């Protein structure tokens, strides 16, 4: 679902770039070759084994950003998976976090709850009207 929705997310990031910070957070490899593999990953040559340390995780995250065509900044969760644990980012989710760290929108988990249009509505609703 994330791969399919990257164009919509890139569009949102560009549309709101002057009003909000837009980030992808790489939490862990979703379908590592040493655990299990999806046919779509094989077809699209998105094949990575589970990173063994922070350096490998950063490399895989960077490769994923490039292969997926993500045009907004990406952050990498530590090997302790603190961000994933705090925000339940697995599987993929969308969040809108307001000032002070308050969660204004949290999507249902992917693949079926991952809808950039819902995030767009939450963004619009959260922005001050002039």
């Amino acid at each position: 679902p994330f791969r399919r929705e990257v164009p919509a997310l890139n569009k949102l990031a560009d549309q709101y770039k002057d009003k909000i910070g837009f980030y992808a957070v790489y939490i862990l490899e979703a379908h590592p070759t040493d655990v299990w593999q999806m046919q779509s990953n094989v077809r699209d040559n998105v094949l990575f084994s589970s990173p063994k340390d922070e350096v490998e995780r950063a490399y895989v995250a960077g490769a994923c950003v490039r292969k997926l065509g993500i045009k907004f900044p990406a952050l990498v969760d530590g090997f302790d998976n603190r961000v994933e644990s705090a925000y339940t980012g697995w599987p993929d989710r969308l969040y809108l976090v307001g000032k002070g760290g308050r969660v204004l929108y949290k999507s249902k988990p992917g693949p079926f709850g991952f809808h950039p249009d819902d995030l767009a509505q939450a963004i619009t609703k959260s922005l001050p009207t002039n």
Side-chain angles (χ1 to χ4, degrees):
F2 191 84
R3 188 177 316 152
R4 179 184 64 237
E5 301 296 352
V6 165
L9 295 173
N10 283 337
K11 184 178 174 183
L12 280 175
D14 189 53
Q15 180 179 351
Y16 292 105
K17 67 183 173 203
D18 296 329
K19 297 182 182 189
I20 62 173
F22 224 87
Y23 300 94
V25 180
Y26 180 88
I27 55 173
L28 53 101
E29 187 52 36
H31 308 288
T33 56
D34 54 326
V35 177
W36 70 288
Q37 198 52 241
M38 291 182 59
Q39 284 308 111
S40 60
N41 286 9
V42 174
R43 180 189 66 235
D44 295 341
N45 197 30
V46 180
L47 303 169
F48 299 102
S49 61
S50 299
K52 306 295 185 265
D53 57 33
E54 302 258 353
V55 172
E56 282 186 27
R57 184 177 266 195
Y59 171 79
V60 171
C64 287
V65 166
R66 287 187 299 279
K67 280 185 173 277
L68 294 172
I70 297 170
K71 296 180 180 176
F72 44 92
L75 308 171
V76 181
D77 195 5
F79 230 63
D80 60 0
N81 298 310
R82 187 179 315 169
V83 174
E84 195 285 323
S85 295
Y87 288 92
T88 59
W90 181 258
D92 41 11
R93 287 187 192 259
L94 297 169
Y95 282 88
L96 177 61
V97 180
K99 291 182 180 181
R102 194 172 122 229
V103 174
L104 303 175
Y105 169 79
K106 176 182 176 180
S107 74
K108 294 179 181 169
F112 304 109
F114 192 87
H115 303 289
D117 288 342
D118 293 346
L119 175 60
Q121 288 176 13
I123 291 169
T124 301
K125 185 175 157 186
S126 73
L127 292 175
T129 55
N130 293 335

